[in-house]
Amino acid sequence: MQSKTAMKSLFRTSLIALAGLSLSACSLFGDDDEEITVAPLQPVSQQVDTRIKWERSVGDGVGEYFSRLNPTVAYGKVFAADRQGVVKAFDKETGKTLWEVELHDLIEINEGVDDGWFSGLFSSPFPARISGGLVAQYNKLFLGTENGDVVAIDTETGELAWHAEVGNEVTSDPAAGEGMVVVHTTDGKVISLSADTGEQNWVHEYQTPTLTLRGASAPSIVSGGVILGDSSGRASVLIGTNGQQAWTQAVGDPTGATELEALADIDSNPVVVGGVIYMIAYNGELAALELRSGEVRWKRDYSAYENLHINGGNIYLTDSNSHVFGLDLRGGIEQWSNNELFGRALTGPTIVNNHLALGDFEGYLHWLSPSSGEIIGRMDLGGDGIYAQPVVDGNTIYVQTRDGDLYAIEVN
């Protein structure tokens, strides 16, 4: 495990690494000597009343690797995992461990895998490398791995429900709904599986650019369609029953003198509100698209790869420089911006009890006013940094750190 000091140094080495730029399943960090300017933290007047309800360890966390692995809350439980393959269920109020499994052993026991890891294309001596999820639906917990596997676990017992091989990395959340689980692999495939059995329904493929950001946008299932943002900067809706494309629309703009300048990936998850899809691309735009037709309602110039958050008629986003913005939902008009945390590898924002929360690479949880963007509080959780958008349930926020600490924080 890297020390906190080493992690800080690594985060300053490469802007490309911060963006998660990669061609393979490698570390988040690059070897470039270019310095990244990071905003020093200024004194702040604490205006947010918080209480740590409980803290638990979830294996070894995700280490120095790029990851979107996040906890999820459902059925009175909090589910969390580490990259190596430890999956745990906790009582959401007390933090009591309800069950714990090791994915390698779970598969081996249920499927008789005796040699290496899974038997598919990504069979290897490596550990589970969980990277997609966690998502709870249909009394199952769905997750994906860098080894090219999708796994469903019973949320009550921790037993294996099913396991499917999809042939390439799953680095974003599966989508679960309408009887199916849909995953987006890094090689440009969208695959629909039966939520009950894991059997494949259909596959949709698109052409991926040579150079892309690390990761992929999670699909979303809405009104019989599967919404997708792809690595070429296009938004699409696929028909849920057969995977055929209903429409496609450009959000990112893959133009530039070099492949690096032409990066236009959509890595942020789509958000649907009132029949409108909101999507943002790296080196592209924030766009509001009609769900039924893909018609553009409006576009605004922002570049991001972290997830958006929509609440109360406003859009909140963290851009690729860790500037934070609040915009009006209807027209995309900017209401405020905050650049006081630039270069701190901020997570996507989320709102809990009328406070905007974001984590950073040093393990600080920052609180901003959703109406003005003013910094109104800060918590130091350490843990080699906060890497994924915090998860909210009621007035409690759940935060997972790189070294595997899981916090339940009550916000008043």
Side-chain angles (χ1 to χ4, degrees):
M1 179 75 61
Q2 305 259 8
S3 70
K4 186 171 181 178
T5 301
M7 288 289 289
K8 292 179 186 177
S9 176
L10 283 169
F11 261 100
R12 289 165 171 77
T13 59
S14 171
L15 178 60
I16 293 175
L18 266 178
L21 180 64
S22 176
L23 294 176
S24 62
C26 63
S27 167
L28 170 64
F29 309 106
D31 297 321
D32 196 89
D33 292 329
E34 180 183 353
E35 287 289 327
I36 294 175
T37 304
V38 178
L41 296 181
Q42 303 299 323
V44 60
S45 174
Q46 189 71 27
Q47 303 172 42
V48 183
D49 181 16
T50 62
R51 177 178 71 91
I52 296 178
K53 294 168 64 174
W54 50 262
E55 176 191 352
R56 298 292 182 270
S57 175
V58 186
D60 294 326
V62 300
E64 75 274 23
Y65 292 91
F66 170 84
S67 182
R68 291 272 175 80
L69 184 60
N70 55 265
T72 192
V73 184
Y75 312 117
K77 304 177 182 70
V78 181
F79 304 95
D82 77 350
R83 185 174 183 270
Q84 299 293 99
V86 173
V87 185
K88 294 185 178 184
F90 304 94
D91 181 279
K92 75 173 187 178
E93 296 300 329
T94 67
K96 177 183 177 181
T97 301
L98 302 176
W99 53 256
E100 176 181 348
V101 297
E102 206 289 327
L103 207 56
H104 183 285
D105 295 338
L106 192 66
I107 300 294
E108 189 173 79
I109 291 169
N110 285 272
E111 298 189 0
V113 179
D114 298 319
D115 184 20
W117 225 76
F118 298 158
S119 57
L121 177 64
F122 274 72
S123 177
S124 73
F126 293 110
R129 304 196 296 184
I130 301 173
S131 53
L134 305 171
V135 172
Q137 184 70 284
Y138 303 121
N139 296 307
K140 298 181 181 69
L141 186 68
F142 301 105
L143 58 89
T145 78
E146 293 176 33
N147 294 332
D149 298 89
V150 182
V151 179
I153 299 172
D154 186 284
T155 56
E156 189 63 31
T157 65
E159 297 176 352
L160 181 70
W162 52 259
H163 154 230
E165 296 162 0
V166 294
N168 211 297
E169 298 174 301
V170 179
T171 58
S172 59
D173 288 357
E178 301 185 13
M180 57 184 168
V181 176
V182 180
V183 295
H184 182 191
T185 65
T186 56
D187 64 341
K189 292 186 177 68
V190 185
I191 302 168
S192 171
L193 308 169
S194 165
D196 289 333
T197 66
E199 293 182 2
Q200 184 174 295
N201 298 320
W202 50 258
V203 179
H204 170 84
E205 296 186 51
Y206 65 90
Q207 186 67 40
T208 61
T210 303
L211 191 66
T212 69
L213 292 178
R214 185 81 177 102
S217 174
S220 182
I221 300 171
V222 178
S223 302
V226 176
I227 303 167
L228 177 71
D230 69 29
S231 57
S232 62
R234 301 194 68 85
S236 301
V237 166
L238 311 177
I239 299 170
T241 54
N242 56 27
Q244 293 184 5
Q245 190 175 81
W247 58 258
T248 184
Q249 179 66 255
V251 176
D253 184 16
T255 59
T258 68
E259 288 183 334
L260 184 61
E261 292 173 342
L263 286 172
D265 302 49
I266 300 175
D267 273 17
S268 173
N269 298 346
V271 181
V272 182
V273 178
V276 179
I277 305 170
Y278 298 90
M279 286 183 135
I280 192 166
Y282 181 77
N283 279 346
E285 295 179 293
L286 169 66
L289 310 173
E290 291 284 351
L291 174 61
R292 292 186 177 276
S293 64
E295 180 182 349
V296 177
R297 281 198 173 188
W298 53 259
K299 281 188 176 183
R300 299 288 180 264
D301 288 332
Y302 293 94
S303 172
Y305 48 84
E306 297 290 350
N307 289 335
L308 304 170
H309 183 76
I310 294 180
N311 180 276
N314 295 292
I315 303 173
Y316 303 99
L317 67 91
T318 302
D319 79 358
S320 52
N321 295 313
S322 286
H323 298 169
V324 189
F325 299 88
L327 301 91
D328 175 72
L329 183 68
R330 292 171 296 178
I333 305 302
E334 188 174 303
Q335 306 295 311
W336 55 260
S337 64
N338 185 314
N339 63 3
E340 297 176 59
L341 301 170
F342 64 86
R344 300 193 65 86
L346 294 178
T347 68
T350 193
I351 283 187
V352 54
N353 212 358
N354 202 35
H355 303 301
L356 200 63
L358 311 93
D360 78 9
F361 77 96
E362 289 188 307
Y364 288 100
L365 188 62
H366 301 278
W367 304 99
L368 275 63
S369 165
S371 59
S372 67
E374 176 192 2
I375 299 175
I376 56 175
R378 183 182 302 139
M379 294 182 72
D380 184 4
L381 301 181
D384 283 342
I386 301 168
Y387 65 95
Q389 187 177 33
V391 174
V392 174
D393 180 67
N395 68 341
T396 301
I397 190 169
Y398 298 92
V399 181
Q400 190 166 345
T401 65
R402 283 192 171 273
D403 66 1
D405 289 334
L406 176 66
Y407 290 87
I409 302 168
E410 185 176 76
V411 184
N412 298 310

